[in-house]
Amino acid sequence: MAAGRLDPGRWGPYAGAVARWETLTRPAPAATDEGGKLRAEFVEWMQGLEAGWVTATPGLGRPAQLTALGNGVVPQQAKRALELLAPHFRRCARCRAE
């Protein structure tokens, strides 16, 4: 199915959220593997990271990939936090002069 299209058969009650995120990122990879385990590629996609940002790291297995993703920062959240916090901090004199 095309990215951004509702697919309730695949995503159930999350179909709308997945479709919206697909329109902003890329088609969603499968959430689980054949054994029902969470796929790191799906977590990477949910966080809005480029495909392979973590999962294409040589020598990094699935558990380490999930750990890295779990300890990572979601770029969109970090950007918004900085937007909210930055106006509250005065810039240093050297920075204002630039």
Side-chain angles (χ1 to χ4, degrees):
M1 183 167 275
R5 302 286 307 266
L6 285 179
D7 188 358
R10 181 176 180 197
W11 300 110
Y14 306 105
V18 170
R20 283 188 301 274
W21 194 235
E22 284 182 328
T23 63
L24 297 171
T25 59
R26 62 182 183 281
T32 57
D33 63 16
E34 300 79 22
K37 292 182 180 178
L38 180 64
R39 294 183 68 226
E41 292 84 356
F42 181 71
V43 176
E44 192 173 59
W45 172 81
M46 285 194 317
Q47 292 184 347
L49 300 170
E50 296 176 24
W53 187 260
V54 172
T55 57
T57 303
L60 202 60
R62 179 186 162 276
Q65 291 172 359
L66 290 172
T67 297
L69 290 163
N71 289 332
V73 173
V74 176
Q76 297 82 2
Q77 289 176 325
K79 179 180 183 281
R80 184 63 179 145
L82 291 172
E83 290 170 352
L84 293 171
L85 294 172
H88 300 288
F89 293 101
R90 294 185 53 193
R91 296 185 69 180
C92 69
R94 188 180 87 228
C95 295
R96 287 193 302 263
E98 292 177 354

